[in-house]
Amino acid sequence: METATIVGLQNKFTEAAQTAWSWAVKRSNHNDGQWRSLGPFLVAALAAILVWSHLAKKTTKSRLPLPPGPRGVPFLGCIPYLEPDIHSWFARLAREYGPIISLRLGQKLYVVVSSPSLAKELLKDQDATFANRDAPPGSLALLSGVHGMGWAPYGARWRMLRRVCMGEILNSSKLDISYDVRRSAVREMVAEVHGGTGAPINVGNVMFVVMYKVITGLLWGGSVAEKEKRQVGDEFQQVVEYLTSVFCKPDVSDFFPVLAPFDLGGVFRQTKKGGVRLEQILDSLINQSQKRSNTEGTRDFLQILLKIQNSGDPKTPLTRSHIKSLLMELVLVGNDTTWTTMEWAMTEVMKHPEVMKKAQEELDKVVGRSYPVEEADLPNLHYVNAFVKEALRLHPVVPLMLPRTPSESTPVGGYMVPKGSRVLVNMWAIQRDPAAWESPEEFRPERFMTGNDGKREFTGNDFHYFPFGSGRRICPGMALAEKMLMYVMATLLHSFDWKLPQGTELEVSEKFGIVLKKAKPLMAVPTPRLSDPDLYTCN
């Protein structure tokens, strides 16, 4: 029987049964015993309605087809057809098969969404169903397999971890208090770049270091003795760089989870090696924080976490493992995503000298050349804000978002998305959709200063532009990332002119991974543009 016929019969049957039920109830209000004898019949009728409704809905649901997509080969699925730039390959498949596609990669069924309306359906209308992340097998090798906020299953513990982070470090009021940490790191960055004047520098490395200093300063700046900060910082930075390189490697267990215990690609083993050293460093930091008296009244995030641990909710306790997982994720994810976006933004500025000129003219007008850029200046830097937004549009740092997995089989866009499938939202394709953006492949900051595009914000409510995600699992570090993107980019363009090394060409190709990096690092030569030497010191 066709689904439409079943649903039609269900509706008619339900309507008739409900009418009969209403009539019988009214009659049973009389004292006539013959109507009371209908009680068992009425209960049975109601039960029949409920069973019929459930079966009809289940039949309708189960008969929905999978989203269309390319047919693969036996066992491997579409793995032989994979291209290195998976995000743009998925975009091309969407143009052929439609805005929602499915394909098998090994054992895994992938569902990829590439339109604003379907992204809204996933991330807003059915957010709770798609709130779980599909964690890679290698993530279990870190910190005894205890997930922090990023990969934790949706539920009470995830809500507790997010509440702690948002309430104690990542909301706007807490970030305002920690301005000195950010200012100190940015001034040190200026001094470091100034020391390399006239020679090519690795711009990404500079941005990595400034973000690392900011994040670790917020997390445990008051827990580590001043003389030990450099040593801890160097060790932690080495581990972060090692683990970041490991996580970027493809692994066969991503496509064949059944092979994960064999660790054929060595990713689990390599992650475990870095995880052991990372855990040793974090344990040392926690021990120092517990012993170190807070005589000056400063409160870093680690100290707050330890206080919450001692007086937390017994139903969802904050354990030492959770503390280490939170610290690890905030450093690994918060650092890597933000500095990568900075490097892309600077690359586009170097590619479009007119953008650099307009930004510097605005900086000279708002800040002048006698003072350094301060965070208080940022709301008045409209053009700088526009080119940062445009960099986030053209180069979303997590192009496919972190993979979701539905808690139950559910319909999306008229197709069935099965429970356990890996669901990706192709933000890269959506933010380059020619139906929503004029000249979408061009870097044009002006689009964010006029017309409808000028009203776009990355708060997660606009499903044409959501570089930080949307819904329950929107990036918790959005406020910090926004501040640092603006602050660092404004400072670098205010303090220096930039040009490519002699005889080189600008490289703009991408290197796909969870984080979309440049294939080759940006090398550029800084030249001071401010006359006062004191503006290039750490003060």
Side-chain angles (χ1 to χ4, degrees), residues 16-30 32 34-36 38-39 41-43 45:
Q18 287 174 341
T19 301
W21 173 269
S22 177
W23 173 79
V25 169
K26 289 180 181 179
R27 298 295 298 176
S28 67
N29 288 333
H30 296 285
D32 193 340
Q34 64 177 323
W35 296 110
R36 293 184 179 179
L38 290 174
F41 168 75
L42 296 175
V43 171

mmCIF file with all atom_site columns, all heavy atoms in Angstrom, residues 16-30 32 34-36 38-39 41-43 45:
data_model
loop_
_atom_site.group_PDB
_atom_site.id
_atom_site.type_symbol
_atom_site.label_atom_id
_atom_site.label_alt_id
_atom_site.label_comp_id
_atom_site.label_asym_id
_atom_site.label_entity_id
_atom_site.label_seq_id
_atom_site.pdbx_PDB_ins_code
_atom_site.Cartn_x
_atom_site.Cartn_y
_atom_site.Cartn_z
_atom_site.occupancy
_atom_site.B_iso_or_equiv
_atom_site.pdbx_formal_charge
_atom_site.auth_seq_id
_atom_site.auth_comp_id
_atom_site.auth_asym_id
_atom_site.auth_atom_id
_atom_site.pdbx_PDB_model_num
ATOM 1   N N   . ALA A 1 16 ? -12.791 9.790  12.346 1.00 0.00 ? 16 ALA A N   1
ATOM 2   C CA  . ALA A 1 16 ? -14.044 9.103  12.653 1.00 0.00 ? 16 ALA A CA  1
ATOM 3   C C   . ALA A 1 16 ? -14.050 8.557  14.077 1.00 0.00 ? 16 ALA A C   1
ATOM 4   O O   . ALA A 1 16 ? -15.039 8.665  14.806 1.00 0.00 ? 16 ALA A O   1
ATOM 5   C CB  . ALA A 1 16 ? -14.268 7.964  11.646 1.00 0.00 ? 16 ALA A CB  1
ATOM 6   N N   . ALA A 1 17 ? -12.948 7.973  14.496 1.00 0.00 ? 17 ALA A N   1
ATOM 7   C CA  . ALA A 1 17 ? -12.867 7.407  15.834 1.00 0.00 ? 17 ALA A CA  1
ATOM 8   C C   . ALA A 1 17 ? -12.985 8.490  16.899 1.00 0.00 ? 17 ALA A C   1
ATOM 9   O O   . ALA A 1 17 ? -13.617 8.311  17.931 1.00 0.00 ? 17 ALA A O   1
ATOM 10  C CB  . ALA A 1 17 ? -11.550 6.642  15.992 1.00 0.00 ? 17 ALA A CB  1
ATOM 11  N N   . GLN A 1 18 ? -12.312 9.657  16.633 1.00 0.00 ? 18 GLN A N   1
ATOM 12  C CA  . GLN A 1 18 ? -12.396 10.744 17.602 1.00 0.00 ? 18 GLN A CA  1
ATOM 13  C C   . GLN A 1 18 ? -13.826 11.279 17.712 1.00 0.00 ? 18 GLN A C   1
ATOM 14  O O   . GLN A 1 18 ? -14.299 11.629 18.788 1.00 0.00 ? 18 GLN A O   1
ATOM 15  C CB  . GLN A 1 18 ? -11.427 11.856 17.208 1.00 0.00 ? 18 GLN A CB  1
ATOM 16  C CG  . GLN A 1 18 ? -9.974  11.494 17.455 1.00 0.00 ? 18 GLN A CG  1
ATOM 17  C CD  . GLN A 1 18 ? -9.032  12.542 16.919 1.00 0.00 ? 18 GLN A CD  1
ATOM 18  O OE1 . GLN A 1 18 ? -9.410  13.350 16.065 1.00 0.00 ? 18 GLN A OE1 1
ATOM 19  N NE2 . GLN A 1 18 ? -7.799  12.535 17.415 1.00 0.00 ? 18 GLN A NE2 1
ATOM 20  N N   . THR A 1 19 ? -14.555 11.330 16.561 1.00 0.00 ? 19 THR A N   1
ATOM 21  C CA  . THR A 1 19 ? -15.957 11.780 16.587 1.00 0.00 ? 19 THR A CA  1
ATOM 22  C C   . THR A 1 19 ? -16.805 10.812 17.398 1.00 0.00 ? 19 THR A C   1
ATOM 23  O O   . THR A 1 19 ? -17.618 11.217 18.240 1.00 0.00 ? 19 THR A O   1
ATOM 24  C CB  . THR A 1 19 ? -16.498 11.886 15.156 1.00 0.00 ? 19 THR A CB  1
ATOM 25  O OG1 . THR A 1 19 ? -15.695 12.806 14.430 1.00 0.00 ? 19 THR A OG1 1
ATOM 26  C CG2 . THR A 1 19 ? -17.945 12.371 15.160 1.00 0.00 ? 19 THR A CG2 1
ATOM 27  N N   . ALA A 1 20 ? -16.601 9.517  17.157 1.00 0.00 ? 20 ALA A N   1
ATOM 28  C CA  . ALA A 1 20 ? -17.356 8.513  17.910 1.00 0.00 ? 20 ALA A CA  1
ATOM 29  C C   . ALA A 1 20 ? -17.039 8.578  19.391 1.00 0.00 ? 20 ALA A C   1
ATOM 30  O O   . ALA A 1 20 ? -17.916 8.462  20.260 1.00 0.00 ? 20 ALA A O   1
ATOM 31  C CB  . ALA A 1 20 ? -17.050 7.117  17.353 1.00 0.00 ? 20 ALA A CB  1
ATOM 32  N N   . TRP A 1 21 ? -15.792 8.769  19.699 1.00 0.00 ? 21 TRP A N   1
ATOM 33  C CA  . TRP A 1 21 ? -15.367 8.874  21.111 1.00 0.00 ? 21 TRP A CA  1
ATOM 34  C C   . TRP A 1 21 ? -16.057 10.046 21.796 1.00 0.00 ? 21 TRP A C   1
ATOM 35  O O   . TRP A 1 21 ? -16.601 9.930  22.896 1.00 0.00 ? 21 TRP A O   1
ATOM 36  C CB  . TRP A 1 21 ? -13.851 9.017  21.171 1.00 0.00 ? 21 TRP A CB  1
ATOM 37  C CG  . TRP A 1 21 ? -13.334 9.309  22.558 1.00 0.00 ? 21 TRP A CG  1
ATOM 38  C CD1 . TRP A 1 21 ? -13.125 10.509 23.121 1.00 0.00 ? 21 TRP A CD1 1
ATOM 39  C CD2 . TRP A 1 21 ? -12.988 8.341  23.543 1.00 0.00 ? 21 TRP A CD2 1
ATOM 40  N NE1 . TRP A 1 21 ? -12.663 10.368 24.393 1.00 0.00 ? 21 TRP A NE1 1
ATOM 41  C CE2 . TRP A 1 21 ? -12.575 9.038  24.685 1.00 0.00 ? 21 TRP A CE2 1
ATOM 42  C CE3 . TRP A 1 21 ? -12.986 6.943  23.574 1.00 0.00 ? 21 TRP A CE3 1
ATOM 43  C CZ2 . TRP A 1 21 ? -12.162 8.395  25.847 1.00 0.00 ? 21 TRP A CZ2 1
ATOM 44  C CZ3 . TRP A 1 21 ? -12.571 6.302  24.724 1.00 0.00 ? 21 TRP A CZ3 1
ATOM 45  C CH2 . TRP A 1 21 ? -12.165 7.030  25.849 1.00 0.00 ? 21 TRP A CH2 1
ATOM 46  N N   . SER A 1 22 ? -16.045 11.209 21.138 1.00 0.00 ? 22 SER A N   1
ATOM 47  C CA  . SER A 1 22 ? -16.671 12.393 21.718 1.00 0.00 ? 22 SER A CA  1
ATOM 48  C C   . SER A 1 22 ? -18.161 12.168 21.952 1.00 0.00 ? 22 SER A C   1
ATOM 49  O O   . SER A 1 22 ? -18.716 12.513 22.998 1.00 0.00 ? 22 SER A O   1
ATOM 50  C CB  . SER A 1 22 ? -16.452 13.595 20.789 1.00 0.00 ? 22 SER A CB  1
ATOM 51  O OG  . SER A 1 22 ? -17.101 14.732 21.295 1.00 0.00 ? 22 SER A OG  1
ATOM 52  N N   . TRP A 1 23 ? -18.852 11.522 20.965 1.00 0.00 ? 23 TRP A N   1
ATOM 53  C CA  . TRP A 1 23 ? -20.286 11.263 21.092 1.00 0.00 ? 23 TRP A CA  1
ATOM 54  C C   . TRP A 1 23 ? -20.563 10.303 22.246 1.00 0.00 ? 23 TRP A C   1
ATOM 55  O O   . TRP A 1 23 ? -21.457 10.498 23.060 1.00 0.00 ? 23 TRP A O   1
ATOM 56  C CB  . TRP A 1 23 ? -20.799 10.675 19.772 1.00 0.00 ? 23 TRP A CB  1
ATOM 57  C CG  . TRP A 1 23 ? -22.231 10.218 19.819 1.00 0.00 ? 23 TRP A CG  1
ATOM 58  C CD1 . TRP A 1 23 ? -23.349 10.967 19.734 1.00 0.00 ? 23 TRP A CD1 1
ATOM 59  C CD2 . TRP A 1 23 ? -22.657 8.861  19.978 1.00 0.00 ? 23 TRP A CD2 1
ATOM 60  N NE1 . TRP A 1 23 ? -24.463 10.182 19.837 1.00 0.00 ? 23 TRP A NE1 1
ATOM 61  C CE2 . TRP A 1 23 ? -24.062 8.874  19.987 1.00 0.00 ? 23 TRP A CE2 1
ATOM 62  C CE3 . TRP A 1 23 ? -21.972 7.639  20.115 1.00 0.00 ? 23 TRP A CE3 1
ATOM 63  C CZ2 . TRP A 1 23 ? -24.805 7.714  20.128 1.00 0.00 ? 23 TRP A CZ2 1
ATOM 64  C CZ3 . TRP A 1 23 ? -22.717 6.495  20.248 1.00 0.00 ? 23 TRP A CZ3 1
ATOM 65  C CH2 . TRP A 1 23 ? -24.122 6.526  20.247 1.00 0.00 ? 23 TRP A CH2 1
ATOM 66  N N   . ALA A 1 24 ? -19.741 9.258  22.343 1.00 0.00 ? 24 ALA A N   1
ATOM 67  C CA  . ALA A 1 24 ? -19.959 8.258  23.386 1.00 0.00 ? 24 ALA A CA  1
ATOM 68  C C   . ALA A 1 24 ? -19.734 8.821  24.777 1.00 0.00 ? 24 ALA A C   1
ATOM 69  O O   . ALA A 1 24 ? -20.447 8.500  25.726 1.00 0.00 ? 24 ALA A O   1
ATOM 70  C CB  . ALA A 1 24 ? -19.040 7.057  23.147 1.00 0.00 ? 24 ALA A CB  1
ATOM 71  N N   . VAL A 1 25 ? -18.713 9.668  24.900 1.00 0.00 ? 25 VAL A N   1
ATOM 72  C CA  . VAL A 1 25 ? -18.439 10.272 26.208 1.00 0.00 ? 25 VAL A CA  1
ATOM 73  C C   . VAL A 1 25 ? -19.609 11.133 26.662 1.00 0.00 ? 25 VAL A C   1
ATOM 74  O O   . VAL A 1 25 ? -20.021 11.123 27.828 1.00 0.00 ? 25 VAL A O   1
ATOM 75  C CB  . VAL A 1 25 ? -17.129 11.088 26.156 1.00 0.00 ? 25 VAL A CB  1
ATOM 76  C CG1 . VAL A 1 25 ? -16.981 11.938 27.407 1.00 0.00 ? 25 VAL A CG1 1
ATOM 77  C CG2 . VAL A 1 25 ? -15.951 10.148 26.024 1.00 0.00 ? 25 VAL A CG2 1
ATOM 78  N N   . LYS A 1 26 ? -20.162 11.906 25.721 1.00 0.00 ? 26 LYS A N   1
ATOM 79  C CA  . LYS A 1 26 ? -21.317 12.745 26.084 1.00 0.00 ? 26 LYS A CA  1
ATOM 80  C C   . LYS A 1 26 ? -22.478 11.878 26.544 1.00 0.00 ? 26 LYS A C   1
ATOM 81  O O   . LYS A 1 26 ? -23.158 12.173 27.521 1.00 0.00 ? 26 LYS A O   1
ATOM 82  C CB  . LYS A 1 26 ? -21.718 13.603 24.884 1.00 0.00 ? 26 LYS A CB  1
ATOM 83  C CG  . LYS A 1 26 ? -20.736 14.719 24.567 1.00 0.00 ? 26 LYS A CG  1
ATOM 84  C CD  . LYS A 1 26 ? -21.186 15.528 23.368 1.00 0.00 ? 26 LYS A CD  1
ATOM 85  C CE  . LYS A 1 26 ? -20.181 16.626 23.048 1.00 0.00 ? 26 LYS A CE  1
ATOM 86  N NZ  . LYS A 1 26 ? -20.604 17.420 21.862 1.00 0.00 ? 26 LYS A NZ  1
ATOM 87  N N   . ARG A 1 27 ? -22.756 10.793 25.820 1.00 0.00 ? 27 ARG A N   1
ATOM 88  C CA  . ARG A 1 27 ? -23.863 9.915  26.188 1.00 0.00 ? 27 ARG A CA  1
ATOM 89  C C   . ARG A 1 27 ? -23.614 9.227  27.519 1.00 0.00 ? 27 ARG A C   1
ATOM 90  O O   . ARG A 1 27 ? -24.530 8.996  28.301 1.00 0.00 ? 27 ARG A O   1
ATOM 91  C CB  . ARG A 1 27 ? -24.072 8.866  25.100 1.00 0.00 ? 27 ARG A CB  1
ATOM 92  C CG  . ARG A 1 27 ? -24.458 9.419  23.743 1.00 0.00 ? 27 ARG A CG  1
ATOM 93  C CD  . ARG A 1 27 ? -25.815 10.103 23.763 1.00 0.00 ? 27 ARG A CD  1
ATOM 94  N NE  . ARG A 1 27 ? -26.862 9.133  24.113 1.00 0.00 ? 27 ARG A NE  1
ATOM 95  C CZ  . ARG A 1 27 ? -28.139 9.460  24.284 1.00 0.00 ? 27 ARG A CZ  1
ATOM 96  N NH1 . ARG A 1 27 ? -28.505 10.725 24.174 1.00 0.00 ? 27 ARG A NH1 1
ATOM 97  N NH2 . ARG A 1 27 ? -29.033 8.533  24.594 1.00 0.00 ? 27 ARG A NH2 1
ATOM 98  N N   . SER A 1 28 ? -22.347 8.914  27.800 1.00 0.00 ? 28 SER A N   1
ATOM 99  C CA  . SER A 1 28 ? -22.039 8.206  29.035 1.00 0.00 ? 28 SER A CA  1
ATOM 100 C C   . SER A 1 28 ? -22.204 9.069  30.268 1.00 0.00 ? 28 SER A C   1
ATOM 101 O O   . SER A 1 28 ? -22.179 8.586  31.389 1.00 0.00 ? 28 SER A O   1
ATOM 102 C CB  . SER A 1 28 ? -20.603 7.648  28.981 1.00 0.00 ? 28 SER A CB  1
ATOM 103 O OG  . SER A 1 28 ? -19.684 8.698  28.985 1.00 0.00 ? 28 SER A OG  1
ATOM 104 N N   . ASN A 1 29 ? -22.345 10.386 30.052 1.00 0.00 ? 29 ASN A N   1
ATOM 105 C CA  . ASN A 1 29 ? -22.572 11.271 31.194 1.00 0.00 ? 29 ASN A CA  1
ATOM 106 C C   . ASN A 1 29 ? -23.968 11.069 31.793 1.00 0.00 ? 29 ASN A C   1
ATOM 107 O O   . ASN A 1 29 ? -24.251 11.488 32.920 1.00 0.00 ? 29 ASN A O   1
ATOM 108 C CB  . ASN A 1 29 ? -22.401 12.732 30.782 1.00 0.00 ? 29 ASN A CB  1
ATOM 109 C CG  . ASN A 1 29 ? -20.946 13.068 30.545 1.00 0.00 ? 29 ASN A CG  1
ATOM 110 O OD1 . ASN A 1 29 ? -20.071 12.438 31.133 1.00 0.00 ? 29 ASN A OD1 1
ATOM 111 N ND2 . ASN A 1 29 ? -20.689 14.037 29.680 1.00 0.00 ? 29 ASN A ND2 1
ATOM 112 N N   . HIS A 1 30 ? -24.884 10.456 31.007 1.00 0.00 ? 30 HIS A N   1
ATOM 113 C CA  . HIS A 1 30 ? -26.204 10.130 31.540 1.00 0.00 ? 30 HIS A CA  1
ATOM 114 C C   . HIS A 1 30 ? -26.081 8.919  32.467 1.00 0.00 ? 30 HIS A C   1
ATOM 115 O O   . HIS A 1 30 ? -25.084 8.184  32.444 1.00 0.00 ? 30 HIS A O   1
ATOM 116 C CB  . HIS A 1 30 ? -27.154 9.830  30.383 1.00 0.00 ? 30 HIS A CB  1
ATOM 117 C CG  . HIS A 1 30 ? -27.370 11.025 29.491 1.00 0.00 ? 30 HIS A CG  1
ATOM 118 N ND1 . HIS A 1 30 ? -28.157 12.086 29.839 1.00 0.00 ? 30 HIS A ND1 1
ATOM 119 C CD2 . HIS A 1 30 ? -26.852 11.315 28.270 1.00 0.00 ? 30 HIS A CD2 1
ATOM 120 C CE1 . HIS A 1 30 ? -28.156 12.989 28.867 1.00 0.00 ? 30 HIS A CE1 1
ATOM 121 N NE2 . HIS A 1 30 ? -27.361 12.544 27.907 1.00 0.00 ? 30 HIS A NE2 1
ATOM 122 N N   . ASP A 1 32 ? -27.780 6.275  32.337 1.00 0.00 ? 32 ASP A N   1
ATOM 123 C CA  . ASP A 1 32 ? -28.184 5.020  31.721 1.00 0.00 ? 32 ASP A CA  1
ATOM 124 C C   . ASP A 1 32 ? -27.020 4.028  31.725 1.00 0.00 ? 32 ASP A C   1
ATOM 125 O O   . ASP A 1 32 ? -25.950 4.295  31.159 1.00 0.00 ? 32 ASP A O   1
ATOM 126 C CB  . ASP A 1 32 ? -28.643 5.285  30.290 1.00 0.00 ? 32 ASP A CB  1
ATOM 127 C CG  . ASP A 1 32 ? -29.361 4.073  29.709 1.00 0.00 ? 32 ASP A CG  1
ATOM 128 O OD1 . ASP A 1 32 ? -29.176 2.946  30.225 1.00 0.00 ? 32 ASP A OD1 1
ATOM 129 O OD2 . ASP A 1 32 ? -30.105 4.277  28.736 1.00 0.00 ? 32 ASP A OD2 1
ATOM 130 N N   . GLN A 1 34 ? -26.466 1.399  30.123 1.00 0.00 ? 34 GLN A N   1
ATOM 131 C CA  . GLN A 1 34 ? -26.030 0.815  28.850 1.00 0.00 ? 34 GLN A CA  1
ATOM 132 C C   . GLN A 1 34 ? -24.869 1.582  28.255 1.00 0.00 ? 34 GLN A C   1
ATOM 133 O O   . GLN A 1 34 ? -24.038 1.010  27.556 1.00 0.00 ? 34 GLN A O   1
ATOM 134 C CB  . GLN A 1 34 ? -27.195 0.767  27.862 1.00 0.00 ? 34 GLN A CB  1
ATOM 135 C CG  . GLN A 1 34 ? -27.731 2.137  27.470 1.00 0.00 ? 34 GLN A CG  1
ATOM 136 C CD  . GLN A 1 34 ? -28.830 2.043  26.432 1.00 0.00 ? 34 GLN A CD  1
ATOM 137 O OE1 . GLN A 1 34 ? -28.755 1.193  25.549 1.00 0.00 ? 34 GLN A OE1 1
ATOM 138 N NE2 . GLN A 1 34 ? -29.840 2.889  26.550 1.00 0.00 ? 34 GLN A NE2 1
ATOM 139 N N   . TRP A 1 35 ? -24.797 2.885  28.538 1.00 0.00 ? 35 TRP A N   1
ATOM 140 C CA  . TRP A 1 35 ? -23.666 3.659  28.002 1.00 0.00 ? 35 TRP A CA  1
ATOM 141 C C   . TRP A 1 35 ? -22.398 3.393  28.795 1.00 0.00 ? 35 TRP A C   1
ATOM 142 O O   . TRP A 1 35 ? -21.313 3.402  28.243 1.00 0.00 ? 35 TRP A O   1
ATOM 143 C CB  . TRP A 1 35 ? -24.020 5.150  28.013 1.00 0.00 ? 35 TRP A CB  1
ATOM 144 C CG  . TRP A 1 35 ? -25.163 5.460  27.115 1.00 0.00 ? 35 TRP A CG  1
ATOM 145 C CD1 . TRP A 1 35 ? -26.414 5.830  27.470 1.00 0.00 ? 35 TRP A CD1 1
ATOM 146 C CD2 . TRP A 1 35 ? -25.156 5.377  25.696 1.00 0.00 ? 35 TRP A CD2 1
ATOM 147 N NE1 . TRP A 1 35 ? -27.211 5.989  26.388 1.00 0.00 ? 35 TRP A NE1 1
ATOM 148 C CE2 . TRP A 1 35 ? -26.446 5.729  25.258 1.00 0.00 ? 35 TRP A CE2 1
ATOM 149 C CE3 . TRP A 1 35 ? -24.197 5.042  24.739 1.00 0.00 ? 35 TRP A CE3 1
ATOM 150 C CZ2 . TRP A 1 35 ? -26.810 5.760  23.932 1.00 0.00 ? 35 TRP A CZ2 1
ATOM 151 C CZ3 . TRP A 1 35 ? -24.537 5.070  23.420 1.00 0.00 ? 35 TRP A CZ3 1
ATOM 152 C CH2 . TRP A 1 35 ? -25.840 5.421  23.014 1.00 0.00 ? 35 TRP A CH2 1
ATOM 153 N N   . ARG A 1 36 ? -22.550 3.152  30.091 1.00 0.00 ? 36 ARG A N   1
ATOM 154 C CA  . ARG A 1 36 ? -21.364 2.841  30.885 1.00 0.00 ? 36 ARG A CA  1
ATOM 155 C C   . ARG A 1 36 ? -20.728 1.518  30.465 1.00 0.00 ? 36 ARG A C   1
ATOM 156 O O   . ARG A 1 36 ? -19.537 1.305  30.591 1.00 0.00 ? 36 ARG A O   1
ATOM 157 C CB  . ARG A 1 36 ? -21.731 2.781  32.363 1.00 0.00 ? 36 ARG A CB  1
ATOM 158 C CG  . ARG A 1 36 ? -22.150 4.133  32.932 1.00 0.00 ? 36 ARG A CG  1
ATOM 159 C CD  . ARG A 1 36 ? -22.419 4.050  34.417 1.00 0.00 ? 36 ARG A CD  1
ATOM 160 N NE  . ARG A 1 36 ? -22.804 5.349  34.947 1.00 0.00 ? 36 ARG A NE  1
ATOM 161 C CZ  . ARG A 1 36 ? -23.115 5.573  36.224 1.00 0.00 ? 36 ARG A CZ  1
ATOM 162 N NH1 . ARG A 1 36 ? -23.091 4.576  37.090 1.00 0.00 ? 36 ARG A NH1 1
ATOM 163 N NH2 . ARG A 1 36 ? -23.445 6.789  36.620 1.00 0.00 ? 36 ARG A NH2 1
ATOM 164 N N   . LEU A 1 38 ? -20.171 0.664  27.685 1.00 0.00 ? 38 LEU A N   1
ATOM 165 C CA  . LEU A 1 38 ? -19.305 0.887  26.524 1.00 0.00 ? 38 LEU A CA  1
ATOM 166 C C   . LEU A 1 38 ? -17.867 1.237  26.914 1.00 0.00 ? 38 LEU A C   1
ATOM 167 O O   . LEU A 1 38 ? -17.008 1.376  26.045 1.00 0.00 ? 38 LEU A O   1
ATOM 168 C CB  . LEU A 1 38 ? -19.867 2.023  25.657 1.00 0.00 ? 38 LEU A CB  1
ATOM 169 C CG  . LEU A 1 38 ? -21.158 1.724  24.900 1.00 0.00 ? 38 LEU A CG  1
ATOM 170 C CD1 . LEU A 1 38 ? -21.658 2.995  24.221 1.00 0.00 ? 38 LEU A CD1 1
ATOM 171 C CD2 . LEU A 1 38 ? -20.940 0.624  23.872 1.00 0.00 ? 38 LEU A CD2 1
ATOM 172 N N   . GLY A 1 39 ? -17.600 1.388  28.209 1.00 0.00 ? 39 GLY A N   1
ATOM 173 C CA  . GLY A 1 39 ? -16.262 1.796  28.657 1.00 0.00 ? 39 GLY A CA  1
ATOM 174 C C   . GLY A 1 39 ? -15.133 0.959  28.085 1.00 0.00 ? 39 GLY A C   1
ATOM 175 O O   . GLY A 1 39 ? -14.196 1.474  27.483 1.00 0.00 ? 39 GLY A O   1
ATOM 176 N N   . PHE A 1 41 ? -15.098 -0.922 25.475 1.00 0.00 ? 41 PHE A N   1
ATOM 177 C CA  . PHE A 1 41 ? -15.037 -0.723 24.027 1.00 0.00 ? 41 PHE A CA  1
ATOM 178 C C   . PHE A 1 41 ? -14.320 0.584  23.673 1.00 0.00 ? 41 PHE A C   1
ATOM 179 O O   . PHE A 1 41 ? -13.508 0.631  22.750 1.00 0.00 ? 41 PHE A O   1
ATOM 180 C CB  . PHE A 1 41 ? -16.450 -0.706 23.459 1.00 0.00 ? 41 PHE A CB  1
ATOM 181 C CG  . PHE A 1 41 ? -16.503 -0.230 22.024 1.00 0.00 ? 41 PHE A CG  1
ATOM 182 C CD1 . PHE A 1 41 ? -16.092 -1.033 20.974 1.00 0.00 ? 41 PHE A CD1 1
ATOM 183 C CD2 . PHE A 1 41 ? -16.936 1.056  21.731 1.00 0.00 ? 41 PHE A CD2 1
ATOM 184 C CE1 . PHE A 1 41 ? -16.128 -0.584 19.667 1.00 0.00 ? 41 PHE A CE1 1
ATOM 185 C CE2 . PHE A 1 41 ? -16.978 1.512  20.425 1.00 0.00 ? 41 PHE A CE2 1
ATOM 186 C CZ  . PHE A 1 41 ? -16.576 0.686  19.390 1.00 0.00 ? 41 PHE A CZ  1
ATOM 187 N N   . LEU A 1 42 ? -14.626 1.637  24.436 1.00 0.00 ? 42 LEU A N   1
ATOM 188 C CA  . LEU A 1 42 ? -14.016 2.939  24.159 1.00 0.00 ? 42 LEU A CA  1
ATOM 189 C C   . LEU A 1 42 ? -12.509 2.910  24.409 1.00 0.00 ? 42 LEU A C   1
ATOM 190 O O   . LEU A 1 42 ? -11.731 3.489  23.662 1.00 0.00 ? 42 LEU A O   1
ATOM 191 C CB  . LEU A 1 42 ? -14.679 4.022  25.020 1.00 0.00 ? 42 LEU A CB  1
ATOM 192 C CG  . LEU A 1 42 ? -16.167 4.266  24.736 1.00 0.00 ? 42 LEU A CG  1
ATOM 193 C CD1 . LEU A 1 42 ? -16.735 5.264  25.737 1.00 0.00 ? 42 LEU A CD1 1
ATOM 194 C CD2 . LEU A 1 42 ? -16.354 4.771  23.316 1.00 0.00 ? 42 LEU A CD2 1
ATOM 195 N N   . VAL A 1 43 ? -12.106 2.223  25.477 1.00 0.00 ? 43 VAL A N   1
ATOM 196 C CA  . VAL A 1 43 ? -10.665 2.091  25.757 1.00 0.00 ? 43 VAL A CA  1
ATOM 197 C C   . VAL A 1 43 ? -9.970  1.348  24.624 1.00 0.00 ? 43 VAL A C   1
ATOM 198 O O   . VAL A 1 43 ? -8.886  1.730  24.153 1.00 0.00 ? 43 VAL A O   1
ATOM 199 C CB  . VAL A 1 43 ? -10.444 1.378  27.101 1.00 0.00 ? 43 VAL A CB  1
ATOM 200 C CG1 . VAL A 1 43 ? -8.963  1.041  27.279 1.00 0.00 ? 43 VAL A CG1 1
ATOM 201 C CG2 . VAL A 1 43 ? -10.933 2.232  28.249 1.00 0.00 ? 43 VAL A CG2 1
ATOM 202 N N   . ALA A 1 45 ? -11.005 1.161  21.543 1.00 0.00 ? 45 ALA A N   1
ATOM 203 C CA  . ALA A 1 45 ? -10.991 2.018  20.357 1.00 0.00 ? 45 ALA A CA  1
ATOM 204 C C   . ALA A 1 45 ? -9.848  3.022  20.417 1.00 0.00 ? 45 ALA A C   1
ATOM 205 O O   . ALA A 1 45 ? -9.156  3.273  19.428 1.00 0.00 ? 45 ALA A O   1
ATOM 206 C CB  . ALA A 1 45 ? -12.336 2.746  20.236 1.00 0.00 ? 45 ALA A CB  1
#
